[in-house]
Amino acid sequence: MKNKRKFRKALARITWLLIACVICTSAVLYQRGIFDFSFYIRNHNSPVPPAETTPTTTDAPVTEAKPDTKYDDEYALQFVDALRAATNIANVGAGILQGGEAVKFEFADFDTLAAEGYELTYADFDAEGKMQICLINTGIDAPYDKAGYESYEMYFYSEAKDNYTIPEGKRKIIYASQTGVRLYMGYIIVDDGETQTVYDSFGKKLYSEITAYFIPALTRDRNNNPLFIINDYRYNGMYYYLDAEGNLIQSDYDDATDNRGLYFDYVPTYGLSDNGIYIQSAMVTIKTEITSQIIETDAPETEEVYDTTEPDEAVTIYTEEVLTPPEDVVTEEVIPEDTQIEYTDLPTPETTPTPETTAEVETEQLTDAEIGENDQDYWDEDYSPVNETLPPEDYEYEDEYEYEYEDEYEYEEEYEEEYEEEITEEITEELTEAPETTDTQAPDTDITDIVTDEIVTEKIITEEIITEEITTEEITTEEITTEEPVTEAPPQYVVIDTIYSDELRFAYGFSEWYMITGYNYKEAYSFNEHYAAVVYPDNVLLFINEYGKIDYYLYRETYYWSNNGRYAFSIFTAPVLRGIQSVGSFYFDEGYVRVRQLDTDKYYGNPDWLIAEYDYLIDDYGRKFDIPADYTLVGYSDGVLLLERDGLYGYYSIEGRWIAQPIFTFARPFAEGLGVIGFANGIKGVIDTEGNVVIPFEYEEISQVSTGIIAAYSETIGNWQFFGKVAKTVE
């Protein structure tokens, strides 16, 4: 009984010890990312980002509040009086709201200013008063419908299988609501839901087309012509532009090489080089080698036959099968020709035929002249007794070989005696310091009689040391020989197929004959403020300087431990959405550029398993701009950040101050130095980069600034008004 209890206690302890070891080992392996538990509960809404920043929602609307946040008309009404009474809105909403009498704005007529030397410009609005906003009398009587007319437009969106798959950016043409007037790269497009009519900036009619067929392409060709897509079988979906007379002309635009990264209503200078270094493109042949790893397999089993006379090195003879020959056939041992055997003595075969069954064989004897004076050289040569029969057991060797060996042995003894006499003479001279020959010494006296026992002992020790050194070398050789098969060699691959494909690649240079980079990039964008954005074939985004070198301050490709204990891979990459949602990407503006950081789980493979995405604003040293806590970067342009939190928008300057408090439910990114901001269901206005009011908060609809013109609708006026941004070019 006692033995059983002891056994049970010992078994229980061992069991608990094993369980503890399994738990600890599993925890360590999970931490290292070797495997994942099937019951590991993940957040199915969004990955948890690091505490330092907040990930950007790339699909966040620019001009609308979040669906789960609603602001009624009363919310907007509390700011109306303050906005209308302010000439600068930087402090509106920052403290106690103060009303007052509304500021009255008076705008000059364009024709009047044109007579004074002013011209329409798309340059950034100058807050110091060198530019003016004027009214343009276009004579266009455009309809207005708050619900909107259905028309086609380009739409950008992202798509992913789930919350942990990296989204892919896509675009398509969809129906969208237009309130009657929209601007496109300096054109005024009036849409009544059936027909679109295109006017120039001053109201000249250029072109008219069915609404379903005529679509702004949101891009320009190399000649800076605004492009349209004609969605009709007559035009095959090609790109077209309008000339000054309104003729529709097909463009040579190639979207793969001529796009400027983003698609939106941009000015002609957007995305163009500012230093004379231009993008070159070419079809490059890419060589792809499909390899297979070489896996070594064991050699086929063979019968090993060893020499029984114990030679210096064991010789393996491979035979497929050993058959017992008939008694009347001579047994021959056949050895492959490429097998070299060194014999120290004649081998003894396993089966020796009897004299009765062995055929008589005439053995050719070599003379002394053929063997040479030193017969040892003969035996040192490679000797392969192919197809030779062995002599019978009672065969008597000739005595000449014995005499030769005896002569050789006597020669070796004489050599040792001479070597011993030389060492003895040297040692005797050192001890006695006597001359080599003296008159007092008898002629027949042997020099070895003078040598002491100590000297002889020293000679023996020296021989032992030499023997030990030789033995050590032999052991070292054996160790190296035995360790070679154990050492794991690096994997070897063999090319099983080679595929050649032509792919588009980009490079930079002053011309085709003066290049500063090779054709290495999958995407390439023009230089701006000393840097150019490039995308490698593995989707890593980085920046190169004017020497064609990578700027490692702006480079990110690293690993780190994520918050959930996983090993993460982090890079900068191109934005998912290529519309105005990503404005600020690719090109430096006022010393900053917008980048997308993509973090993936290395265990699940790059870039298949998404951990988080971040939207940062960095300077030319790679330092992140300090965005106010809990705010999301929606857009960046003209040195102004458009930030959002809980469906409310505001403008934040790179100088670290609010130029429009985050109290608004509608906002557009800055364009040409002007920003449109207000309330989705209320009034809107236009401000400059200092927060000064340029167009008052009296309009229900205001378009984005489009190559120098602005469209605004007021219910009080009951019609559309068109504003122009002008600058004086002639003094």
Side-chain angles (χ1 to χ4, degrees), residues 256 278 330 359 403 443 544 595 709:
Y278 301 101
V330 178
Y403 298 149
I544 63 174
V595 295
I709 61 174

Side-chain angles (χ1 to χ4, degrees), residues 20 69 144 190 215 218 283 461 488 507 512 514 557 649 725:
T69 304
Y144 173 79
V190 178
I215 307 165
L218 301 179
M283 297 300 295
I461 294 174
E488 184 177 355
E512 295 183 21
Y514 186 12
E557 189 173 4
Y649 297 88
K725 180 163 53 73

Side-chain angles (χ1 to χ4, degrees), residues 571-592:
I571 61 172
F572 285 156
T573 188
V576 175
L577 303 180
R578 295 301 180 98
I580 196 172
Q581 304 95 330
S582 300
V583 65
S585 303
F586 298 126
Y587 305 102
F588 272 86
D589 184 2
E590 301 289 338
Y592 288 91

Side-chain angles (χ1 to χ4, degrees), residues 26 48 83 87-88 145 202 213 290 296 308 341 357 387 391 408 412 458 482 551 568 595 610 631 668 693 703:
S26 301
V48 179
L83 291 172
T87 57
N88 188 298
D145 186 354
F202 304 102
Y213 295 160
I290 302 176
E296 296 183 359
T308 57
I341 308 174
T357 60
N387 296 330
E408 181 180 357
E412 291 178 356
E458 184 176 358
T482 56
D551 191 306
V595 295
L610 177 66
Y631 281 90
R668 299 184 189 275
V693 178
S703 70

Side-chain angles (χ1 to χ4, degrees), residues 184 216-221 225-229 239-241 251 253:
Y184 174 56
L218 301 179
T219 188
R220 296 176 182 263
D221 62 13
N225 297 309
L227 299 180
F228 299 89
I229 297 175
Y239 292 92
Y240 293 85
Y241 66 90
S251 173
Y253 172 82

